[in-house]
Amino acid sequence: MNKAVFSCLMPLLMSAAPSFGHEVWIEPVDWSVAPQEEIKAQIYNGEHLSGYDLIWDDKRIVRAEAWQNQDYKEIKGRLGDRPALTTVGQDNGLLTLLYQSTFSTVDYDTYEKFASFVEEKGHLWALEQHDERRLSRTAIKEAYTRFAKSLVKVGSGDGADAFRGMELELVALDNPYVSSDADEITVRLFYQNERLADNRITVFERAPDGTVSHIVLQTDQDGQASFGVTPGAEYLVDSVVLREPARSLVIETRGAVWESLWASLTFEVPAAQ
């Protein structure tokens, strides 16, 4: 099935066929635009930088914003908009697109699927805790929330990414659009306003020839992780926190026994001049 047909069908099937261990990320139509030029960006759900694009749906969105330095504006849309995000870069500088979803739930019909997910995201401790809490191995409900960011070059692209107050958030400590001669990018992971140490980060790279590869890292004691980059490549950085849900969430979801928070950050490294 081609991507266009897949994109049309999947929004209709989302609630009926949830994804296990799939990332959500923002992908601009153009990574670099002129000042005052319209910026359009897809919100994708998938794996390894391949997936289906989500439509704009007010009921699924908590925050949708465009930041430049300390100024931001809320992004608005209409039900069914695709690309989901549309805004305008006002001035020269780095622009950060931000998206936070409402929570959703997924039901794992086998313990093996849940175990595969927690292993992939670096939380094997949860399997021991699952048994200590005497939870079912045949019906496991998880609540999850997405926190996505994307960096867009507007004009000169000068400026820096910063923490924008999401519960789980990745921040680029380097600006890929003004550091094109650099061969490494550093990110920092925040959880509940604090730097999060010893949490897994996965970095997906789409090379200029379209091939996708990934590496797995762990944040250091300052919440940081660094990785090499390739001119002309696109990057998706992903990290997940897994925790026992609050009692209020258990009630609201009618029985979620785990809660996951997903953070993503995307950007392009310009091709060498």
Side-chain angles (χ1 to χ4, degrees), residues 90-111:
Q90 298 294 326
D91 305 307
N92 280 305
L94 185 70
L95 182 140
T96 302
L97 296 172
L98 178 154
Y99 160 79
Q100 177 182 335
S101 74
T102 58
F103 74 81
S104 299
T105 61
V106 61
D107 292 292
Y108 296 89
D109 55 9
T110 69
Y111 180 77

Side-chain angles (χ1 to χ4, degrees), residues 55-147:
I55 61 172
W56 177 276
D57 184 351
D58 289 328
K59 294 181 180 180
R60 291 181 175 270
I61 298 172
V62 175
R63 293 175 64 182
E65 299 161 1
W67 287 78
Q68 281 189 288
N69 298 314
Q70 296 306 309
D71 299 322
Y72 80 95
K73 60 182 178 180
E74 191 174 352
I75 297 174
K76 298 288 189 180
R78 294 182 179 181
L79 179 63
D81 279 354
R82 185 186 285 121
L85 304 179
T86 300
T87 188
V88 174
Q90 298 294 326
D91 305 307
N92 280 305
L94 185 70
L95 182 140
T96 302
L97 296 172
L98 178 154
Y99 160 79
Q100 177 182 335
S101 74
T102 58
F103 74 81
S104 299
T105 61
V106 61
D107 292 292
Y108 296 89
D109 55 9
T110 69
Y111 180 77
E112 288 73 23
K113 288 181 180 178
F114 176 70
S116 177
F117 159 66
V118 299
E119 180 180 9
E120 177 189 346
K121 298 305 178 184
H123 297 298
L124 279 174
W125 56 268
L127 299 181
E128 181 177 354
Q129 193 176 114
H130 192 89
D131 290 338
E132 290 175 353
R133 292 167 60 197
R134 299 182 179 180
L135 299 175
S136 170
R137 283 192 168 209
T138 58
I140 303 171
K141 177 177 285 190
E142 173 202 333
Y144 60 91
T145 306
R146 313 289 195 166
F147 304 89

Side-chain angles (χ1 to χ4, degrees), residues 24-26 43 96-101 146-150 166 168 262-266:
V24 165
W25 70 94
I26 302 170
I43 302 172
T96 302
L97 296 172
L98 178 154
Y99 160 79
Q100 177 182 335
S101 74
R146 313 289 195 166
F147 304 89
K149 292 170 63 179
S150 186
M166 294 194 290
L168 185 67
W262 297 63
S264 68
L265 174 69
T266 56

Side-chain angles (χ1 to χ4, degrees), residues 20-23 25 45-51 120 204 212 236:
F20 298 101
H22 284 191
E23 291 75 34
W25 70 94
N45 185 334
E47 293 181 299
H48 299 278
L49 281 169
S50 178
E120 177 189 346
F204 299 92
V212 176
L236 162 62

